[in-house]
Amino acid sequence: MSRQILFGPHHDWPTFGPVNDTVRGGASTSQWKVLDESNRARFSGHLDISALGGAGFASQSTAFKPTLSLSPHDFSGLAITLSVPSHIPQGHPSAFVLTLKNDIPGRRQDGRRESVLSYEMAFDLRELAGEKDREVEIVAEWKDFKATYRGREDKEAKPLNSEKIEELSFMCRSNFGAQHGDFSLDIVSLAAVREPFPSHQGSSAPSQTWFGWLLSLITNAWSSLCSKLRGDGALRLPE
């Protein structure tokens, strides 16, 4: 399985900007910083749940112009590499979300962003932490990005269109009061994952290699020939 780096080592990060709960009267903050020495990106801030009665979110978002298009025939998903600390202070947020959008959020008359369908992949640094600081890669297929609307899963929504990614964001949210406080996430790289072999369209079966496909073709042809043979070895001719 190969990867095409989108952002990270030797590939510049796009410009990110804050989209926090302040648009709803909250008090959460977020920052985005590219670390010059490594070209890693640091998403950090403070998740507040007091202003909105237990709710809260902080995020950094980037919009693609032109649209980021990753054909499902060439790419099977995304791989995010994180720098995971061995110790996360108790009480500090550790759950994050990588979000993709197929539509550009509009603006209301008061300047607030309108809600649109989002496709989310969640991960928790505590589940990835080990005995020492390390880099961890998470691979998510397109189907692993769950459709949500205003933070709740929408099981009736259409699947993500990877050929029309208009916006990408990293989010830290309270999960209905489960976490709050200072947070920090170091992102080493984000890459598109290439399948090693082309998959067969219109089939829910796992993708096959060209060798497997050829072997299957030969096997089916031989089985068809054998089915035309009688017990004496003569071909069964059409009536």
Side-chain angles (χ1 to χ4, degrees), residues 49-107:
I49 62 173
S50 60
L52 296 176
F57 69 87
S59 71
Q60 286 282 325
S61 175
T62 186
F64 296 108
K65 295 180 181 180
T67 298
L68 178 62
S69 181
L70 300 171
S71 169
H73 304 299
D74 298 321
F75 301 99
S76 58
L78 295 179
I80 178 173
T81 301
L82 306 170
S83 179
V84 181
S86 59
H87 174 68
I88 301 171
Q90 192 65 31
H92 282 222
S94 61
F96 296 87
V97 179
L98 170 61
T99 301
L100 307 177
K101 290 184 173 71
N102 285 151
D103 298 298
I104 301 174
R107 294 282 180 178

Side-chain angles (χ1 to χ4, degrees), residues 101-120:
K101 290 184 173 71
N102 285 151
D103 298 298
I104 301 174
R107 294 282 180 178
R108 300 177 180 178
Q109 291 184 348
D110 60 5
R112 294 190 300 170
R113 286 162 52 104
E114 295 179 340
S115 297
V116 297
L117 200 64
S118 300
Y119 297 86
E120 301 182 350

